[in-house]
Amino acid sequence: DPCRNFHCKRGKVCHVDKQGKPSCICQDPAACPSTKDYEHVCGTDNKTYDGTCQLFATKCQLEGTKMGRQLHLDYMGPCKYIPHCTDYEVDQFPLRMRDWLKNILMQYYERDLDNSGFLTEKQRNKVKKIYQNDKRLAAGNHTVELLLHDFEKNYHMYVYPVHWQFHRLDQHPVDRSLTHSELAPLRASLVPMEHCITRFFQECDGDKDKLIALEEWCHCFGIKE
């Protein structure tokens, strides 16, 4: 099968011509497998798609047009009203995000105690120091004041989680900067819960080059040079 090891990007499928040569063509959105309600996604055109297959197949068919360039996955779940993010809320966002990243790492570490594989040995060694620190703020719905106080008091506990998330996203390619598509997996899953994440990432891009460099990312999270 000429298509077996022939890779096509999302929204396209492999097609073999009469000469037996494989190529990528746009997938028919109507041919996408049926999905459950919880698999629906919202596009940046504020339209609900049955799933990512239908969204990227539609984007492929619009290739070369302004609409096609602007269509991306906005967030997971059906389209809904997303409240406006105020200046006050976007200022407080890094506090919650830093705490959330730290707690995600703590959960991975706890899972590794029973079934290793979530973190590398190097990552486990770094997270272990935070996990075993008796001054660590436990997971919970903390006030902004407490989160700010803990960040100032236990700054060293937040540095690695911020770096870890950046390098986890920086994959295509690994170049110390994040593109829109590299940010998408994190952003798309959080928008329904954290309505400030879009504005936060936009403002992180200080030089407006549509890339978030490691230095810009750390600056946004209050991590010193």
Side-chain angles (χ1 to χ4, degrees), residues 129-166:
K129 296 175 183 177
I130 305 173
Y131 185 81
Q132 294 182 336
N133 194 317
D134 57 3
K135 293 181 180 179
R136 174 169 59 90
L137 187 65
N141 189 20
H142 303 297
T143 63
V144 167
E145 290 75 21
L146 181 57
L147 290 174
L148 180 59
H149 173 74
D150 192 65
F151 178 64
E152 293 172 347
K153 186 178 179 182
N154 298 305
Y155 169 82
H156 62 284
M157 292 190 196
Y158 294 92
V159 177
Y160 182 69
V162 170
H163 283 168
W164 166 78
Q165 181 64 82
F166 182 91

Side-chain angles (χ1 to χ4, degrees), residues 84-112:
H84 173 71
C85 178
T86 66
D87 292 345
Y88 174 78
E89 287 175 321
V90 81
D91 286 344
Q92 309 310 319
F93 180 81
L95 296 171
R96 297 193 306 276
M97 192 70 177
R98 281 191 305 249
D99 186 57
W100 182 72
L101 292 176
K102 173 172 63 69
N103 290 324
I104 288 289
L105 274 175
M106 297 305 101
Q107 288 179 18
Y108 281 169
Y109 182 80
E110 286 181 335
R111 291 180 192 176
D112 265 8

Side-chain angles (χ1 to χ4, degrees), residues 3 9 13 17 33 36 45 47 85 89 91 96 136 148 155 167 170 182 185 216:
C3 283
K9 69 177 185 178
V13 290
D17 63 18
K36 307 290 185 183
D45 56 354
K47 178 182 174 183
C85 178
E89 287 175 321
D91 286 344
R96 297 193 306 276
R136 174 169 59 90
L148 180 59
Y155 169 82
H167 291 293
D170 183 23
E182 285 176 318
E216 291 175 320

Side-chain angles (χ1 to χ4, degrees), residues 10-224:
R10 298 182 80 171
K12 293 192 174 187
V13 290
C14 181
H15 172 74
V16 180
D17 63 18
K18 292 179 181 179
Q19 286 74 40
K21 186 179 178 181
S23 63
C24 294
I25 62 170
C26 287
Q27 185 168 4
D28 180 1
C32 288
S34 59
T35 57
K36 307 290 185 183
D37 287 348
Y38 60 80
E39 294 176 304
H40 291 176
V41 297
C42 185
T44 46
D45 56 354
N46 201 35
K47 178 182 174 183
T48 298
Y49 293 83
D50 285 347
T52 53
C53 173
Q54 190 184 82
L55 169 66
F56 287 106
T58 302
K59 178 178 174 64
C60 183
Q61 291 192 332
L62 294 170
E63 210 167 61
T65 67
K66 182 179 179 181
M67 193 177 295
R69 288 191 296 273
Q70 292 176 342
L71 180 58
H72 299 285
L73 169 65
D74 200 5
Y75 52 88
M76 309 305 288
C79 296
K80 63 178 186 178
Y81 171 71
I82 303 294
H84 173 71
C85 178
T86 66
D87 292 345
Y88 174 78
E89 287 175 321
V90 81
D91 286 344
Q92 309 310 319
F93 180 81
L95 296 171
R96 297 193 306 276
M97 192 70 177
R98 281 191 305 249
D99 186 57
W100 182 72
L101 292 176
K102 173 172 63 69
N103 290 324
I104 288 289
L105 274 175
M106 297 305 101
Q107 288 179 18
Y108 281 169
Y109 182 80
E110 286 181 335
R111 291 180 192 176
D112 265 8
L113 295 176
D114 299 322
N115 183 21
S116 62
F118 290 96
L119 301 171
T120 65
E121 184 178 355
K122 183 178 179 181
Q123 289 172 334
R124 276 196 298 274
N125 290 335
K126 286 182 174 291
V127 177
K128 182 179 181 180
K129 296 175 183 177
I130 305 173
Y131 185 81
Q132 294 182 336
N133 194 317
D134 57 3
K135 293 181 180 179
R136 174 169 59 90
L137 187 65
N141 189 20
H142 303 297
T143 63
V144 167
E145 290 75 21
L146 181 57
L147 290 174
L148 180 59
H149 173 74
D150 192 65
F151 178 64
E152 293 172 347
K153 186 178 179 182
N154 298 305
Y155 169 82
H156 62 284
M157 292 190 196
Y158 294 92
V159 177
Y160 182 69
V162 170
H163 283 168
W164 166 78
Q165 181 64 82
F166 182 91
H167 291 293
R168 196 177 180 213
L169 295 169
D170 183 23
Q171 298 294 329
H172 308 289
V174 179
D175 58 358
R176 292 170 66 91
S177 63
L178 300 179
T179 63
H180 181 279
S181 59
E182 285 176 318
L183 281 168
L186 176 66
R187 189 190 155 281
S189 60
L190 287 181
V191 167
M193 297 175 286
E194 286 285 1
H195 66 282
C196 282
I197 194 165
T198 299
R199 180 177 168 186
F200 175 73
F201 284 151
Q202 287 172 344
E203 295 186 4
C204 274
D205 181 16
D207 57 9
K208 305 301 178 189
D209 64 349
K210 299 189 184 302
L211 297 171
I212 298 181
L214 177 59
E215 293 77 9
E216 291 175 320
W217 176 273
C218 289
H219 176 73
C220 277
F221 282 103
I223 304 300
K224 303 165 190 171

